[in-house]
Amino acid sequence: MKTKLSVLLFLIVINFSVSAQEKTKKELKQERELKKQNEIKALIDSQNFVFEAQKATPQGGRLLQLDYNTYFLKFNADNTTCDLPFFGRAYNLGYNSDGGIKFEGKPENIKVETKKNNTILKATVRGKSDVYDLTFSIFYNGSTTLSVSSNNRGPINYDGVIYAPKTAEKQ
């Protein structure tokens, strides 16, 4: 009887010590969030990331869901490429334009402002026929709001995510 009691006590002590060493769900979640925050900070510091637009809000204020995940802005301190749809008022466009916001150029006047829960990144890019002011509001979970204003179009906001550019695209 005494041996059964001691074996039972021994098993209980081992069970508590093993469960005390395991991380709780809350701790695991905090670790994942911290890892994601560090990845996003690294992307912002390198000034090399891809913004993928998922929603668009033109100046009129109606939210539009974007399909197919094909709308992007590849931001790099050396060269920025953009292919985003445009909904709203255009003031001065050529007849042969497709209506979207498409440009390629070197960003100028890059300013980064870090706040408690997000980072604001501002840049100006000169395209072939227009100048685009880009304002990224990047949150540490990866969600991002991009505001684009230009001389020839009304302002528009995009909601989406940022991620590291794929190395296969460079090859």
Side-chain angles (χ1 to χ4, degrees):
M1 182 73 181
K2 202 173 193 183
T3 58
K4 289 182 183 181
L5 185 60
S6 62
V7 170
L8 182 65
L9 236 115
F10 178 73
L11 291 175
I12 290 173
V13 169
I14 289 177
N15 190 23
F16 279 122
S17 66
V18 169
S19 65
Q21 292 176 359
E22 292 180 14
K23 295 181 181 178
T24 64
K25 288 182 182 181
K26 188 175 182 180
E27 290 172 339
L28 291 172
K29 182 180 177 185
Q30 287 176 344
E31 284 181 7
R32 282 192 305 267
E33 288 175 357
L34 185 62
K35 182 180 176 188
K36 184 72 172 176
Q37 285 179 6
N38 291 335
E39 289 174 2
I40 298 299
K41 282 182 185 179
L43 288 176
I44 294 168
D45 291 341
S46 71
Q47 294 182 355
N48 184 18
F49 56 85
V50 176
F51 169 77
E52 183 179 291
Q54 298 169 342
K55 301 174 189 171
T57 308
Q59 190 174 16
R62 194 179 90 189
L63 180 71
L64 302 165
Q65 296 286 340
L66 302 177
D67 294 336
Y68 309 118
N69 297 331
T70 57
Y71 302 111
F72 65 91
L73 187 145
K74 293 179 184 175
F75 188 86
N76 191 323
D78 298 328
N79 189 29
T80 298
T81 306
C82 178
D83 184 6
L84 294 170
F86 180 76
F87 309 97
R89 175 170 276 176
Y91 306 116
N92 184 17
L93 291 179
Y95 289 110
N96 294 333
S97 98
D98 64 354
I101 298 176
K102 295 182 180 183
F103 62 85
E104 187 171 343
K106 181 174 173 59
E108 303 168 352
N109 304 328
I110 300 173
K111 296 177 185 171
V112 178
E113 179 182 338
T114 303
K115 295 186 176 182
K116 184 177 180 181
N117 293 328
N118 67 343
T119 299
I120 308 292
L121 187 141
K122 295 181 180 183
T124 302
V125 180
R126 294 184 185 276
K128 289 181 181 177
S129 61
D130 205 351
V131 177
Y132 300 93
D133 291 322
L134 308 174
T135 304
F136 293 92
S137 182
I138 304 168
F139 296 91
Y140 291 124
N141 63 357
S143 65
T144 304
T145 300
L146 168 63
S147 176
V148 179
S149 60
S150 69
N151 297 333
N152 296 331
R153 302 169 193 252
I156 186 167
N157 293 327
Y158 299 95
D159 293 329
V161 294
I162 66 166
Y163 54 86
K166 296 180 177 81
T167 55
E169 292 175 352
K170 294 179 182 176
Q171 296 176 348

